[in-house]
């Protein structure tokens, strides 16, 4: 390639880089924007009713709440959606979404004394005993039905320890773009600095429900749980446990998901219900009284189903940014199909995910490619003219009939195209090395 063509190719590559670097971001990708939409950052009630829309329930005392369509991700209404508050046991949804797919439900684990140490004072327990074996599925039932912190700690130790599990939960929150969440303990027990939000808890529920076992456990109303050894027979005993979710089995179509209560958090609840092929998610945090969390969640679900097609969304549940599974491999457990990969979570609406280059960047790319191809064509043309001139001089000097001309690189054979392609690749490579 001539020096001029090389300089031209390098210049086009530099122009491309400058245009890509300075191209305006796609709408909604402003790093200062609120995750899920600007309206979700406002403190007052956010709702956009259309003609015929039902009125929101009037007796809502929760400091923070949100109701959304699980399928579309549209947030139908919210108040203080991103307000950081202690999450209590609703944080167990994130724990389950992070750890559940690592162990087969039929695996058996021998519980040790160390795994039951350091449980918080007043923790909710299912009754796991040390030095006895438990199936993984029994431990998960203890987590979801009895909100057992002892079962959480055993599973966390199976996962490599409390510290490792907390770190993985925080990383998982990041891929879910749950920016309001700070994980300190895997069980949701009151700890300094541990917070989440109605928006984030709803993200955790939506992600967890994609895991079949998660969905099965959170919808289980009663189960048998392994007990200790009978002192007379030496046989293993069992006892019944019941789901502490007061709406399960009472609210029509309720799927789950998780309730919680601590002194600092008050009552928290995230639920999912299905009706006429539509699934809604609701989260209520810290109402005036503990029992009101269920009443307020139920009233918001009623409103959400009645408001179908009669309200405009005020925000969006953003998508999971975990890398998508390779097309020729089965989906990883718990990974939603079609999730767009990303280097890190970004605070913007889900519909803007996956656009790494804006329109200006794509225009620059096309322009750069055209300039590179034009330079290669100019070089090839000069070489052809030189070859023709040399052949003419030789024919004149020898006074012999000229040999048949060599096929043009622009002929019907693929030779010219392959040479041009090789030159193009070389030009692009040279431009890249000059960055």
């Amino acid at each position: 390639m001539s020096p001029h063509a090389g300089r031209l190719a390098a210049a086009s590559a530099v122009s491309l880089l400058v245009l890509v670097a300075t191209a305006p971001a796609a709408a909604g990708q402003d790093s200062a924007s609120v995750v899920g939409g600007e309206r979700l950052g406002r403190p007052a009630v956010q709702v956009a009713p259309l003609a015929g829309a039902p009125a929101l329930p009037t007796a809502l005392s929760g400091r923070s709440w949100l109701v959304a369509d699980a399928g579309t991700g549209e947030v139908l209404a919210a108040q203080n959606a991103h307000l950081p508050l202690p999450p209590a046991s609703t944080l167990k949804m994130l724990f389950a979404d992070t750890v559940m797919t690592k162990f087969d439900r039929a695996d058996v684990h021998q519980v040790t004394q160390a795994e039951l140490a350091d449980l918080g004072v007043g923790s909710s327990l299912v009754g796991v005993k040390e030095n006895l074996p438990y199936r993984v599925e029994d431990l998960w039932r203890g987590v979801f039905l009895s909100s057992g912190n002892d079962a959480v700690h055993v599973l966390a130790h199976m996962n490599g320890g409390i510290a490792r599990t907390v770190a993985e939960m925080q990383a998982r929150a990041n891929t879910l773009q749950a920016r309001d969440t700070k994980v300190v303990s895997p069980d949701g027990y009151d700890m300094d600095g541990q917070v989440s939000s109605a928006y984030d808890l709803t993200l955790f529920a939506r992600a967890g429900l994609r895991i079949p076992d998660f969905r099965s456990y959170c919808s289980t109303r009663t189960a048998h749980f392994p007990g200790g050894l009978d002192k007379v027979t030496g046989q293993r005993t069992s006892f019944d446990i019941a789901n502490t979710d007061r709406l399960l089995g009472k609210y029509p179509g309720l799927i789950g998901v998780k309730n919680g209560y601590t002194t600092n958090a008050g009552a928290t609840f995230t639920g999912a219900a299905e009706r006429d092929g539509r699934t809604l998610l609701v989260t209520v945090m810290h109402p005036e009284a503990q029992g009101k969390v269920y009443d307020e969640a139920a009233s918001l679900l009623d409103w959400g189903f009645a408001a179908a097609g009669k309200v405009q969304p005020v925000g969006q549940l953003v998508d999971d940014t975990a890398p998508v599974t390779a097309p020729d491999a089965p989906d990883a457990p718990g990974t939603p199909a079609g999730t767009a990969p990303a280097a890190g979570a970004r605070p913007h609406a889900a519909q803007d995910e996956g656009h790494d280059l804006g329109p200006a960047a794509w225009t620059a790319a096309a322009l750069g490619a055209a300039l590179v191809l034009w330079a290669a064509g100019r070089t090839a043309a000069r070489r052809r003219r030189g070859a023709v001139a040399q052949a003419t001089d030789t024919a004149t000097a020898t006074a012999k009939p000229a040999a048949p001309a060599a096929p043009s690189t622009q002929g019907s054979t693929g030779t010219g195209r392959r040479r041009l392609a090789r030159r193009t690749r070389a030009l692009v490579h040279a431009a890249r090395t000059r960055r």
Side-chain angles (χ1 to χ4, degrees), residues 45-407:
V45 172
Q46 300 301 312
V47 63
L50 300 173
L56 277 168
T58 57
L60 297 176
S61 66
R63 293 182 61 189
S64 174
W65 55 263
L66 179 148
V67 58
D69 188 302
T72 64
E74 294 177 346
V75 177
L76 307 181
Q79 176 178 297
N80 293 323
H82 285 289
L83 179 66
L85 293 169
S89 288
T90 46
L91 193 64
K92 289 181 171 74
M93 294 186 296
L94 176 60
F95 169 72
D97 182 59
T98 303
V99 176
M100 184 171 288
T101 58
K102 294 186 178 185
F103 309 110
D104 189 285
R105 61 184 296 155
D107 287 349
V108 176
H109 175 74
Q110 185 83 6
V111 174
T112 67
Q113 182 179 5
E115 293 169 347
L116 297 176
D118 301 324
L119 290 170
V121 177
S123 286
S124 54
L125 306 173
V126 66
V128 178
K129 306 292 184 182
E130 62 187 61
N131 301 322
L132 288 175
Y134 288 83
R135 290 180 301 178
V136 166
E137 61 182 347
D138 288 324
L139 293 172
W140 282 118
R141 291 189 187 101
V143 171
F144 277 95
L145 276 67
S146 300
S147 203
N149 289 4
D150 47 356
V152 170
H153 275 238
V154 171
L155 288 163
H157 279 281
M158 292 172 61
N159 187 52
I162 300 296
R164 176 176 176 174
T165 300
V166 166
E168 290 181 355
M169 288 172 64
Q170 189 66 64
R172 179 62 180 140
N174 292 342
T175 65
L176 290 170
Q177 305 191 63
R179 296 302 194 191
D180 306 319
T181 298
K182 171 63 176 175
V183 183
V184 181
S185 68
D187 49 24
Y189 186 83
D190 284 339
M191 302 286 282
D192 290 342
Q194 180 156 270
V195 292
S196 190
S197 67
Y199 184 87
D200 286 6
L201 293 176
T202 308
L203 290 180
F204 302 155
R206 190 187 189 204
L209 288 171
R210 293 184 174 117
I211 305 173
D213 280 347
F214 182 109
R215 192 182 184 96
S216 173
Y217 295 134
C218 77
S219 63
T220 299
R221 296 176 61 185
T222 61
H224 296 296
F225 193 82
L229 297 177
D230 187 281
K231 295 181 179 180
V232 177
T233 65
Q235 298 297 313
R236 190 76 178 269
T237 64
S238 66
F239 55 92
D240 292 335
I241 57 175
N243 202 314
T244 56
D245 179 351
R246 296 183 189 176
L247 290 185
L248 193 61
K250 296 180 180 179
Y251 187 88
L254 194 82
I255 300 170
V257 185
K258 192 71 189 75
N259 59 317
Y261 177 82
T262 65
T263 302
N264 289 341
T268 59
F269 177 75
T270 297
E274 186 175 21
R275 187 179 298 175
D276 299 326
R278 184 169 178 241
T279 300
L280 295 185
L281 294 164
V282 64
T283 295
V284 177
M285 301 184 74
H286 212 316
E288 290 178 351
Q290 180 179 355
K292 283 189 174 183
V293 75
Y294 299 104
D295 295 336
E296 295 183 18
S299 65
L300 283 170
L301 287 172
D302 286 342
W303 174 86
F305 285 118
K310 300 176 182 178
V311 295
Q312 292 181 330
V314 295
Q316 184 77 21
L317 298 179
V318 292
D319 288 335
D320 185 353
T321 63
V324 72
T325 306
D328 57 348
D331 287 343
T335 301
T339 299
R346 294 174 295 182
H348 56 82
Q351 59 265 31
D352 296 317
E353 279 297 310
H355 299 287
D356 294 324
L357 295 178
W362 287 117
T363 302
L367 178 60
L371 289 171
V372 170
L373 291 174
W374 177 79
R378 288 287 302 272
T379 301
R382 282 197 296 272
R383 288 179 176 173
R384 287 196 301 275
R385 287 196 296 270
V388 172
Q390 183 179 3
T392 302
D393 292 343
T394 302
T396 302
T398 59
K400 292 182 180 180

Side-chain angles (χ1 to χ4, degrees), residues 1-15 374-375 427 430-431 434:
M1 176 171 41
S2 69
H4 175 73
R7 288 193 296 271
L8 182 59
S12 67
V14 170
S15 299
W374 177 79
L427 285 166
R434 290 183 174 92

